[in-house]
Amino acid sequence: MTDGTASPGGTPALRLTVLVGEQDAWHHKPLYAEIVHRAREAGLAGASVFRGIEGFGATSLIHTQRLLSLSEELPVAIVVVDTEERIRSFLPQLDELLADGGTVTLEPCERITYPRTGGTAPGEGGRG
């Protein structure tokens, strides 16, 4: 940083990305939601779901939200960052959930956590 303050130290981590379709389901519940809930139950640091605006998978059929084809089968990415040990211990749950298909990537990364300051709770302003 240029203002003379030290950058917070990062720790080695693993980024898990799960790619599924928006309409993929697990027992009548969105698959991405089931993955997030299981990640929380497993005590992982956090999980975020990102909806794609266009993409294709194994079928090579392009799904898009452009024009009049408001597809409901858009790609969805679930991203989790935690220690390698914790991420790898979560993988067996994905084996069960992705029995009908999906893609998982694992990438080493560095995790830098910025602690919350002030009195705002998540969703009450600020970040988070």
Side-chain angles (χ1 to χ4, degrees):
M1 297 183 149
T2 58
D3 64 0
T5 60
S7 177
T11 57
L14 197 63
R15 178 175 47 233
L16 164 72
T17 304
V18 182
L19 303 169
V20 297
E22 185 176 21
Q23 293 298 310
D24 291 346
W26 177 259
H27 297 282
H28 310 291
K29 178 179 179 181
L31 179 57
Y32 61 85
E34 182 66 19
I35 293 170
V36 167
H37 288 280
R38 288 196 186 196
R40 184 171 187 247
E41 289 170 4
L44 296 176
S48 297
V49 178
F50 301 93
R51 183 177 189 233
I53 59 172
E54 186 168 49
F56 70 93
T59 64
S60 295
L61 179 64
I62 294 180
H63 302 282
T64 182
Q65 72 173 17
R66 290 183 293 130
L67 304 172
L68 299 175
S69 70
L70 294 174
S71 174
E72 294 181 357
E73 186 53 17
L74 293 169
V76 174
I78 304 100
V79 178
V80 182
V81 176
D82 207 322
T83 65
E84 181 172 0
E85 179 183 348
R86 292 175 72 142
I87 292 291
R88 290 198 182 276
S89 69
F90 184 66
L91 293 178
Q93 293 203 49
L94 295 179
D95 291 343
E96 175 188 8
L97 294 172
L98 300 177
D100 290 335
T103 300
V104 174
T105 63
L106 297 171
E107 303 156 288
C109 62
E110 185 175 357
R111 177 178 167 188
I112 300 173
T113 302
Y114 292 88
R116 212 173 264 290
T117 58
T120 59
E124 293 181 358
R127 291 184 314 217

